[in-house]
Amino acid sequence: MNLDARIPDGPIEEKWRIWKDNHELVGPRARGQLEVAIVGTGLAGASAAATLAGMGYKVQAFCFQDSARRAHSIAAQGGINATKDYSNDGDSVHRLFADTMKGGDFRAREANVWRLAELSTEIIDQAVAQGVPFNREYGGLLATRSFGGVLVERTFYVRGQTGQQLLLGAYGALSRQIRAGRVEMHTRHEMLDIVVCDGPARGIVARDLVTGETRSYPADAVVLATGGYSNVYFLSTNAMGCNVTAAWRAYKRGAGMANPCFTQIHPTCIPATGEHQAKLTLMSESLRNDGRVWVPRSADETREPNDIPDGDRYYFLEETYPRYGNLVPRDVASRAAKHVCDQGLGVGPTGRAVFMDFQDAIAVRGEREIESRYGNLFELYEQITGESPWRVPMRIYPAPHYAMGGLWVDYTLQTTIPGLFAIGECNFSDHGSNRLGASAMMQCLADGYFVLPHTVTDYLARQEDPHADPTHAAFAETEAEVEKRLERLLSIDGSTPTRHIHHELGKLLIDVCGISREGVKLERALDELPAIREQFWSDVKIGGDARSLNQSLEYAGRVADFLELAELMCRDALVRDESCGCHLREEHQTADGEPVRDDERFAHVAVWEYAGPESEPLRHAEQLEFKEMQPKARSYR
């Protein structure tokens, strides 16, 4: 497996300009003869499809929803980072770069992180030009607020619906290209495999989820923009349809899977209330700007929260991390919440929750200001819980949210399969072992609007024969493999619901590979996971057929991939015998619970190569170089 990151020479602040100055071009008239398949139409996919089509390429876009507007990106709430420094805090590209490297605990590639910080300001200009209604200050400048892990206000926002508004901007641009005939949109289609022709990716196989028809779609380059895989935990903040299938098919075709155990547990989610739940609801991290997180100091406390005086409240983030307070990074806040609940100080019916209280902010800022910042989030919380944050504190608890791991890509966002690119959350590239809040949308739009259009152009320009051959035997062979897999699923005819197996997988995984990990538990999981997988393939209950609408079949296929992914996650977590960011190995922490990295042995990206169904995957490493920032102990105290 070739892990050449293809990072250009030169000073880090010049690398992206140098690369663009020297990349190969495709003439405007030739672009209309080239076709790009883009799988996923969230922020990354929609922005990439709109931009490539606007350049003149033919684009085939695929999503399993009935509209690109229903992509999970729409659920992002709190904001998007950029270094415009409207708040006059002294922000800069270097400061955003440094915060991101530190936030990811020095497990990210410096060149990619710098480029992301550099492009952040262009994203805001693009969104404003599209009409995204960012909050504004009285004088007219765009408003900003803080997010975890930083000491400046660089997060631009639209109340608590930033993802929705940014997606509408990208969707509008995409719709314009659809109307112009340059994008062919395939809704309710799920990609089930990559077609690889003698090395390069030359298309995909997708299933029409309404008719059941399975067919191949040739393309001269393929782009995956399919999001993350935190639904492997069963309960997560992800939309119910989010899955790993597209990335997993790429992995099985030869694409490296990087750092799969790096998954983010978000600290501010509405807690689970019982076994009946199928997902959890995110409460934006932006709430921690004004919400104070606390628990009663006594495990025997029986008073209502509003009746407990300050002296009997444990503001554990403010007391433990006085410099950052409630705005520590997500991994730090999640571990702290789990720790106080493990001590018996948790609140609510299950004892697995902490309070987030807005009474002080309301008293200081006034209801009108708080309403302008978080009104729709307060409304959402009340609709779900029946309690009003205007009157009583929210109850929150950590939940699986984001995947920092994903397909390995080089500087051009190309995987180890030539012609196959991965953008947004489905690649590993920019966040290291922990993503700072408000950086997900930043990466998605930087990849889609400003990076991928150039790198795909460079790839296509360098091909002697860039055109896919739809008569190549690989298309028929891949279609046959997809059909065989669907038939195998339907032939099981068992008695156990897929949801039950997924639930059992999630309970095991959150215990052994969630907020904290331990070698003994990971080894136990690797012994238990094959039995869960065997139960699935011998006794899962699906029903129906493959030639019509069959959501049970869709779900079963996704869970089958989750079962394999879970094993790779645990294997990756076990081999990485250190603590870094979200990956806290119980064996490697300070006396007060802070992670202890091992830079001598693990300052690298772990990249896994599929070796076949009967063989253990092969582990490779891309060594990380630190020229701009030397790794140091990450502290937010």
Side-chain angles (χ1 to χ4, degrees):
M1 179 170 283
N2 180 17
L3 297 181
D4 180 8
R6 300 170 62 195
I7 299 171
D9 295 328
I12 194 167
E13 64 271 14
E14 296 291 326
K15 287 183 183 295
W16 180 232
R17 182 192 61 78
I18 291 170
W19 188 92
K20 287 198 298 179
D21 285 349
N22 291 280
H23 82 286
E24 297 294 330
L25 300 176
V26 175
R29 293 184 180 180
R31 294 173 198 161
Q33 306 304 313
L34 296 168
E35 194 153 12
V36 181
I38 297 181
V39 185
T41 52
L43 283 174
S47 58
T51 306
L52 284 165
M55 294 168 66
Y57 293 103
K58 292 194 295 183
V59 175
Q60 299 266 355
F62 300 81
C63 70
F64 60 69
Q65 301 93 346
D66 59 1
S67 167
R69 290 180 60 179
R70 294 186 182 273
H72 182 56
S73 298
I74 207 165
Q77 298 168 341
I80 178 170
N81 288 329
T83 59
K84 284 186 172 295
D85 197 28
Y86 288 158
S87 58
N88 201 29
D89 286 337
D91 200 9
S92 65
V93 170
H94 185 275
R95 198 174 295 277
L96 175 53
F97 162 77
D99 286 343
T100 305
M101 290 296 297
K102 177 182 175 182
D105 218 355
F106 299 94
R107 290 296 176 261
R109 191 189 289 152
E110 282 191 337
N112 287 68
V113 175
W114 185 279
R115 179 175 64 186
L116 178 64
E118 179 184 350
L119 292 173
S120 65
T121 56
E122 296 184 42
I123 299 168
I124 301 301
D125 293 339
Q126 175 88 4
V128 170
Q130 291 173 337
V132 174
F134 287 112
N135 276 42
R136 293 181 180 266
E137 302 291 0
Y138 178 77
L141 289 177
L142 302 186
T144 54
R145 57 191 177 197
S146 295
F147 258 60
V150 303
L151 295 174
V152 297
E153 292 186 342
R154 67 161 65 102
T155 303
F156 294 77
Y157 63 97
V158 187
R159 298 180 75 202
Q161 52 187 235
T162 314
Q164 176 184 352
Q165 297 300 327
L166 287 170
L167 183 60
L168 289 174
Y171 175 74
L174 174 61
S175 298
R176 179 171 180 266
Q177 299 302 327
I178 294 171
R179 183 176 182 181
R182 289 186 284 267
V183 174
E184 184 176 353
M185 187 73 221
H186 303 273
T187 59
R188 297 309 306 269
H189 280 67
E190 182 171 25
M191 194 210 88
L192 295 180
D193 217 334
I194 303 282
V195 180
V196 178
C197 300
D198 304 320
R202 292 296 200 180
I204 69 169
V205 175
R207 179 172 180 266
D208 185 321
L209 298 180
V210 177
T211 68
E213 178 190 11
T214 300
R215 56 165 288 200
S216 55
Y217 297 84
D220 305 316
V222 177
V223 180
L224 299 186
T226 51
Y229 49 78
S230 284
N231 271 350
V232 67
Y233 292 100
F234 184 72
L235 284 179
S236 83
T237 66
N238 286 190
M240 295 291 288
C242 293
N243 62 81
V244 76
T245 292
W248 200 247
R249 297 276 79 74
Y251 166 68
K252 286 196 163 184
R253 290 290 174 189
M257 183 66 75
N259 298 333
C261 78
F262 286 174
T263 51
Q264 184 172 80
I265 311 296
H266 198 294
T268 53
C269 301
I270 298 178
T273 57
E275 291 288 308
H276 64 281
Q277 280 187 253
K279 79 174 303 293
L280 296 173
T281 303
L282 174 70
M283 287 286 102
S284 169
E285 181 180 320
S286 64
L287 293 166
R288 289 196 277 144
N289 274 276
D290 290 296
R292 301 183 70 190
V293 180
W294 64 277
V295 291
R297 289 193 179 276
S298 171
D300 300 324
E301 183 61 70
T302 58
R303 289 173 289 183
E304 293 297 317
N306 287 341
D307 296 331
I308 301 174
D310 259 13
D312 293 336
R313 298 181 178 190
Y314 179 21
Y315 294 97
F316 55 92
L317 292 178
E318 297 174 29
E319 292 183 26
T320 307
Y321 306 98
R323 192 175 182 208
Y324 286 80
N326 296 298
L327 286 172
V328 291
R330 292 174 177 178
D331 61 318
V332 177
S334 293
R335 285 195 294 271
K338 179 180 183 295
H339 182 65
V340 295
C341 290
D342 289 345
Q343 291 178 311
L345 300 177
V347 301
T350 65
R352 307 305 294 182
V354 300
F355 289 129
M356 184 158 58
D357 197 330
F358 294 87
Q359 295 310 306
D360 289 350
I362 293 170
V364 172
R365 295 181 180 274
E367 288 195 8
R368 183 176 179 180
E369 174 67 18
I370 299 301
E371 166 69 24
S372 72
R373 289 174 171 235
Y374 316 115
N376 61 306
L377 295 173
F378 279 28
E379 181 181 350
L380 175 64
Y381 183 87
E382 185 171 4
Q383 287 177 346
I384 292 174
T385 67
E387 297 178 345
S388 171
W390 296 106
R391 295 191 296 272
V392 296
M394 286 184 179
R395 290 197 299 268
I396 58 169
Y397 193 69
H401 177 59
Y402 187 90
M404 282 77 66
L407 293 172
W408 183 90
V409 293
D410 62 18
Y411 188 72
T412 72
L413 306 182
Q414 188 170 202
T415 70
T416 52
I417 298 175
L420 177 64
F421 296 79
I423 61 177
E425 190 180 352
C426 80
N427 76 31
F428 88 101
S429 67
D430 292 358
H431 305 297
S433 58
N434 176 63
R435 177 176 69 80
L436 292 181
S439 288
M441 291 184 279
M442 177 175 64
Q443 183 207 349
C444 288
L445 295 179
D447 286 355
Y449 282 133
F450 302 114
V451 181
L452 183 85
H454 295 294
T455 60
V456 165
T457 294
D458 179 70
Y459 167 78
L460 292 171
R462 294 177 186 275
Q463 303 308 302
E464 291 184 9
D465 181 11
H467 300 290
D469 177 9
T471 66
H472 194 287
F475 284 92
E477 292 169 2
T478 307
E479 283 187 47
E481 290 177 27
V482 169
E483 293 284 355
K484 183 178 179 180
R485 190 166 189 270
L486 294 173
E487 290 170 5
R488 184 187 175 197
L489 284 166
L490 289 169
S491 69
I492 298 171
D493 194 28
S495 59
T496 305
T498 306
R499 184 181 186 278
H500 173 79
I501 296 173
H502 192 187
H503 193 196
E504 290 302 306
L505 169 67
K507 286 196 297 184
L508 172 64
L509 200 60
I510 194 66
D511 179 48
V512 304
C513 200
I515 296 178
S516 62
R517 296 93 189 266
E518 188 176 358
V520 173
K521 288 185 175 181
L522 290 165
E523 290 173 348
R524 171 173 63 83
L526 288 170
D527 289 336
E528 294 180 12
L529 283 168
I532 300 176
R533 193 167 66 249
E534 173 60 28
Q535 180 190 14
F536 175 90
W537 284 106
S538 63
D539 195 45
V540 73
K541 180 180 180 180
I542 299 175
D545 59 59
R547 299 300 175 190
S548 62
L549 175 67
N550 189 341
Q551 292 183 314
S552 296
L553 178 60
E554 296 170 33
Y555 182 40
R558 296 165 187 171
V559 172
D561 293 328
F562 280 145
L563 287 164
E564 296 180 7
L565 168 67
E567 191 167 331
L568 188 64
M569 289 171 62
C570 291
R571 193 180 299 277
D572 186 46
L574 179 62
V575 176
R576 187 172 283 278
D577 192 24
E578 66 160 353
S579 291
C580 58
C582 71
H583 174 65
L584 180 77
R585 283 286 295 268
E586 298 281 359
E587 306 94 324
H588 302 290
Q589 58 180 315
T590 63
D592 50 5
E594 298 297 327
V596 176
R597 291 195 323 265
D598 185 343
D599 291 332
E600 288 192 11
R601 293 195 298 155
F602 294 104
H604 62 246
V605 178
V607 186
W608 295 88
E609 178 183 2
Y610 181 66
E614 305 301 326
S615 303
E616 291 187 0
L618 304 176
R619 188 180 190 272
H620 306 272
E622 178 201 343
Q623 294 298 321
L624 295 170
E625 296 183 359
F626 302 100
K627 298 179 180 179
E628 301 302 314
M629 283 186 69
Q630 290 303 307
K632 57 184 179 181
R634 190 176 64 138
S635 174
Y636 293 93
R637 294 180 181 271

